[in-house]
């Protein structure tokens, strides 16, 4: 019976081990995580959990009892130091664990501010783990002053939570506009206005020059010469794939751990799934940072360990919750050359086209547009933009066209 060792205990890993067991694997499954908590949801950390609206146990993807009940050997607070590919062993500080299949679900790590500009001062936080949010939570009190560095989804979600808790929030984005890397100017403008309505000061085209403080941050100098007094800082400047372990054992790296269409690395006994993995898609390689990708890749790798030889076809989808707004995104907008806007009352959606081809949809409080857009993209259908903008058009009718 094959033994499987899974390194990393996030969404991809949790989906993978559950699929292995439900798919009939009878061999030993070992799941190793660096954190003390069993696999949990990350998206609610910076929203419902930080707001105190979600209990810790509700974060867990499965009850802690699930793992022993299903014969999954869960190792928490344990760090893998190396993989011995010749002996097929995963090495930790305390033991060597043999494997027939090893799966890297190491996820990603947040980019931090350099120490040279004050990134190591107390009161400077990233938002990635349960511990990160538990450390930051006591700071989120009404009337305190917070600087958010980065105008991507993590930064905007943190700004929304802090504003809801009554803090004085300033957000700086070094690029020309918030969400510049991931969204159209129309989506950026809508969310800029949303945050301003909630009292957030949004500074675009302005970066952080220096954080100031003896031990704890107390001020920030911006690149335009502005000086701000701050009580704490939240850094949301992106994440990087966690590839150190893969590099250490000589696996190929290409914007993440390079895998083939089945999820195998350059060593066929080692697989990778989730944020850490880059995979072939058509004539390019992709690496997706999303819950949906983590679930889908985790389940795919499990199926292929079980012998299905199923190629991965990504179906990208994402979401972001800010205030009472849900942004749902289907597809990838890379290469778009025009935006088609559909507004029906409070429901708003931005449709990304490259020529006549529909690439992606940003749906703002518009779940119907999201669901229809997602199905269209997955089916390779591109509706007439004029029909999309016409609110007299029943969106579901586009699926039949």
């Amino acid at each position: 019976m094959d033994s499987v060792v899974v390194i990393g205990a996030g969404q991809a890993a949790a989906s993978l081990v559950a699929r292995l067991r439900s798919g009939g694997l009878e061999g030993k499954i070992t799941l190793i995580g660096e954190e003390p908590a069993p696999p949990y949801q990350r998206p609610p950390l910076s929203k419902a959990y930080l707001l105190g609206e979600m209990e810790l146990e509700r974060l867990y993807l499965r009850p802690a009892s699930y793992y022993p009940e299903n014969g999954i050997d869960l190792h928490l607070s344990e760090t893998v130091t190396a993989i011995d590919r010749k002996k097929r062993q995963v090495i930790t500080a305390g033991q060597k664990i043999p494997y027939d299949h090893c799966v890297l679900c190491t996820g990603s790590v947040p980019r931090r501010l350099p120490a040279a500009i004050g990134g190591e001062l107390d009161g400077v936080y990233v938002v990635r783990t349960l511990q990160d949010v538990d450390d930051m939570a006591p700071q989120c009190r009404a009337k305190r002053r917070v600087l958010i560095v980065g105008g991507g989804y993590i930064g905007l979600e943190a700004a929304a939570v802090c504003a809801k808790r009554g803090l004085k929030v300033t957000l700086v984005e070094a690029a020309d506009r918030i969400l510049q890397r991931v969204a159209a100017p129309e989506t950026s403008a809508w969310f800029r206005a949303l945050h301003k309505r909630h009292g957030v000061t949004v500074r675009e085209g302005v970066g952080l020059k220096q954080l100031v403080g003896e031990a704890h941050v107390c001020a920030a100098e911006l690149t335009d010469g502005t000086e701000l007094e701050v009580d704490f800082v939240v850094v949301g400047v992106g994440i990087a794939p966690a590839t150190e372990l893969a590099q250490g054992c000589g696996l190929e790296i290409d914007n993440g751990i390079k895998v083939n269409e089945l999820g195998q690395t350059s060593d066929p006994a080692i697989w990778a799934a989730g944020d850490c993995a880059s995979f072939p898609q058509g004539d390019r390689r992709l690496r997706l940072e999303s819950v949906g990708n983590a679930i889908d890749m985790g389940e795919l790798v499990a199926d292929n360990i079980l012998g299905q030889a199923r190629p991965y076809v990504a179906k990208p989808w994402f979401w972001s919750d800010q205030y009472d707004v849900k942004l749902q995104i289907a597809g990838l907008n890379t290469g778009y050359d025009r935006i088609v806007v559909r507004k029906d009352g409070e429901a708003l959606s931005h449709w990304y086209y490259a020529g006549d081809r529909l690439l992606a949809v940003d749906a703002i409080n518009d779940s119907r547009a999201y669901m229809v857009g997602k199905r269209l993209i997955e089916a390779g259908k591109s509706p007439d933009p004029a029909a999309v903008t016409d609110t007299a058009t029943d969106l579901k009718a586009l699926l039949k066209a």
Side-chain angles (χ1 to χ4, degrees):
M1 293 185 292
D2 284 355
S3 62
V4 181
V5 177
V6 182
I7 303 172
Q11 181 74 68
S15 299
L16 185 143
V17 297
R19 184 77 154 219
L20 285 173
R21 275 294 182 245
S22 66
L25 183 78
E26 296 180 355
K28 184 176 181 180
I29 300 176
T30 304
L31 177 57
I32 306 172
E34 291 186 337
E35 297 183 59
Y40 61 85
Q41 307 172 68
R42 294 193 190 277
L45 285 178
S46 60
K47 298 181 278 286
Y49 181 73
L50 184 56
L51 284 168
E53 297 171 352
M54 179 180 280
E55 299 295 325
L56 174 61
E57 288 72 19
R58 288 180 56 207
L59 284 177
Y60 295 160
L61 291 165
R62 292 181 181 272
S65 60
Y66 168 83
Y67 302 95
E69 288 171 357
N70 287 273
I72 297 166
D73 191 6
L74 179 61
H75 295 229
L76 299 177
S77 301
E78 190 161 347
T79 299
V80 174
T81 57
I83 299 171
D84 186 331
R85 291 168 51 192
K86 289 184 179 179
K87 294 181 179 179
R88 291 198 178 182
Q89 293 178 337
V90 167
I91 301 168
T92 71
Q95 59 186 319
K96 297 178 180 179
I97 307 170
Y99 66 82
D100 294 299
H101 300 276
C102 175
V103 189
L104 293 165
C105 297
T106 48
S108 51
V109 292
R111 300 184 190 278
R112 298 177 183 269
L113 297 179
I117 65 168
E120 294 183 354
L121 289 170
D122 290 341
V124 180
Y125 303 95
V126 294
V127 182
R128 186 63 182 169
T129 68
L130 184 59
Q131 189 63 57
D132 290 334
V133 175
D134 284 344
D135 289 345
M136 183 173 64
Q139 301 277 0
C140 294
R141 303 194 304 272
K143 299 184 180 180
R144 288 174 67 79
R145 301 158 300 185
V146 59
L147 173 66
I148 311 288
V149 182
Y153 291 121
I154 290 295
L156 292 174
E157 289 171 1
V161 168
C162 289
K164 287 178 72 172
R165 298 198 69 165
L167 282 78
K168 182 180 179 181
V169 184
T170 301
L171 182 146
V172 295
E173 169 54 60
D176 292 341
R177 58 182 174 87
I178 59 172
L179 300 177
Q180 181 165 298
R181 186 176 66 87
V182 294
E186 291 85 347
T187 299
S188 297
W190 197 92
F191 278 93
R192 180 189 309 115
L194 172 70
H195 281 272
K196 287 185 175 181
R197 288 198 301 272
H198 284 84
V200 175
T201 299
V202 178
R203 303 285 307 279
E204 294 164 303
V206 178
L208 173 68
K209 181 179 179 182
Q210 183 76 44
L211 295 177
V212 179
E214 293 290 332
H216 193 285
V217 65
C218 64
E221 298 175 2
L222 306 183
T223 54
D224 66 352
T226 303
E227 295 188 7
L228 301 173
E229 292 184 349
V230 299
D231 295 303
F232 68 105
V233 176
V234 179
V235 180
V237 292
I239 57 179
T243 60
E244 184 177 358
L245 198 58
Q247 287 177 289
C249 69
L251 298 178
E252 288 186 34
I253 306 297
D254 183 357
N255 182 31
I257 304 168
K258 184 179 181 179
V259 300
N260 63 16
E261 69 278 3
L262 303 180
Q264 288 172 303
T265 70
S266 50
D267 180 335
I270 302 179
W271 310 68
D275 286 7
C276 67
S278 72
F279 54 89
Q281 193 82 64
D283 59 357
R284 57 178 173 161
R285 296 192 69 82
L286 292 180
R287 187 177 63 82
L288 298 177
E289 301 165 357
S290 74
V291 170
N293 177 66
I295 294 170
D296 291 347
M297 279 200 85
E299 292 181 347
L300 172 105
V301 168
D303 288 348
N304 290 338
I305 287 173
L306 293 167
Q308 292 189 25
R310 181 164 66 89
Y312 187 47
V313 179
K315 298 178 180 179
W317 58 273
F318 315 85
W319 83 92
S320 177
D321 294 317
Q322 299 172 43
Y323 308 104
D324 57 350
V325 173
K326 179 173 284 293
L327 169 65
Q328 294 170 287
I329 304 161
L332 295 173
N333 64 26
T334 305
Y336 78 93
D337 54 30
R338 64 169 164 162
I339 297 295
V340 173
V341 179
R342 179 184 175 94
K343 189 172 187 336
D344 190 359
E346 294 300 311
L348 174 67
S349 53
H350 297 147
W351 300 61
Y352 295 77
Y353 281 80
D356 294 328
R357 182 184 171 208
L358 177 64
L359 300 178
V361 177
D362 291 347
I364 300 168
N365 284 343
D366 193 345
S367 58
R368 180 180 291 262
Y370 165 73
M371 290 304 298
V372 170
K374 187 172 187 293
R375 290 174 62 185
L376 286 167
I377 293 163
E378 290 174 2
K381 294 183 177 181
S382 298
D384 182 349
V388 171
T389 58
D390 185 356
T391 55
T393 301
D394 180 358
L395 281 175
K396 286 189 176 181
L398 299 176
L399 294 167
K400 301 174 183 178

